[in-house]
Amino acid sequence: LTRKARDRIFDRLTGLFQIRHELVTSSDINRSKSNLNRLEYEALLRLLHVFQPGRLVVDAFMPPQKLSAELKCDFPNLTVVAEWKADENHLIVSAASIVAKVIRDREVDRLKAKFGDLGSGYPSDPKTNVWLRAQLLKNRLAFRGLPSCVRLKWRTLDRLRREDGYCEPPDDKLPYR
């Protein structure tokens, strides 16, 4: 879907359904001792506590069986359907994916207003890689001087550092290890 089409669908969905979201920001990831999947799981738990549904259909962000088992431990009466690519098989997950994408688009727009044109933020986006590489060049050490919107625990950042010959400081000096 185009961004315009997603926005139109988003407006209709927000008029028909109660929608709430949780953001997992780069700052959350940088501060955390855990990984992105765990942060997503914790965000999902917060939403489940608010809505307390009897049934959940979720696009798995960790192995579906593991996600289902963990959710059943936290919510024994919850019926869980966790699948890879659930948005292709369940209309409600497709709708949730559109909502998530629109919220992400708007968050990226906010970041662009503050940090300049950083592209889409996806690792495959050449514009994002150019922007990130420019940020690394601005601060040759690039360990504490990167903009706050950059995930420090990110393979893309690690790859660019390797390609550009940045050496890493001792482990005890890294802010995220």
Side-chain angles (χ1 to χ4, degrees):
L1 297 172
T2 65
R3 182 172 181 164
K4 192 173 184 177
R6 287 192 306 268
D7 285 336
R8 271 195 317 273
I9 294 169
F10 177 88
D11 290 341
R12 289 189 66 203
L13 290 171
T14 56
L16 295 170
F17 300 100
Q18 181 184 7
I19 294 175
R20 182 168 170 171
H21 69 278
E22 291 276 333
L23 287 178
V24 177
T25 67
S26 56
S27 296
D28 296 331
I29 298 165
N30 294 340
R31 280 192 311 267
S32 177
K33 299 286 184 199
S34 64
N35 63 35
L36 183 57
N37 286 350
R38 186 56 39 200
L39 292 170
E40 287 183 44
Y41 184 79
E42 291 166 4
L44 176 58
L45 289 181
R46 289 190 296 273
L47 290 169
L48 289 171
H49 282 294
V50 170
F51 286 107
Q52 299 183 4
R55 183 169 190 264
L56 173 71
V57 183
V58 61
D59 196 350
F61 48 86
M62 62 174 69
Q65 296 80 3
K66 179 181 179 183
L67 180 57
S68 293
E70 285 193 36
L71 287 167
K72 292 296 284 177
C73 284
D74 288 317
F75 295 89
N77 297 322
L78 182 65
T79 301
V80 178
V81 177
E83 300 174 3
W84 299 122
K85 300 186 178 198
D87 58 331
E88 294 177 6
N89 301 316
H90 303 275
L91 189 57
I92 193 70
V93 182
S94 299
S97 293
I98 290 169
V99 168
K101 180 71 172 167
V102 169
I103 291 168
R104 185 190 185 284
D105 288 344
R106 292 175 181 177
E107 183 65 15
V108 169
D109 289 346
R110 189 186 68 73
L111 293 173
K112 285 178 180 179
K114 184 174 181 179
F115 299 107
D117 191 357
L118 47 79
S120 68
Y122 288 115
S124 60
D125 182 353
K127 189 181 276 190
T128 296
N129 283 275
V130 166
W131 180 87
L132 190 55
R133 189 168 263 133
Q135 301 310 308
L136 287 168
L137 287 172
K138 283 182 183 178
N139 177 1
R140 290 296 290 174
L141 293 177
F143 298 106
R144 286 181 174 54
L146 290 172
S148 60
C149 65
V150 176
R151 288 173 42 186
L152 299 176
K153 294 188 267 188
W154 192 23
R155 283 189 204 139
T156 302
L157 183 62
D158 294 339
R159 178 183 51 79
L160 290 174
R161 282 182 171 144
R162 276 193 316 277
E163 288 174 2
D164 293 346
Y166 292 96
C167 52
E168 299 228 2
D171 281 347
D172 63 339
K173 300 292 186 217
L174 283 173
Y176 60 88
R177 287 197 181 152

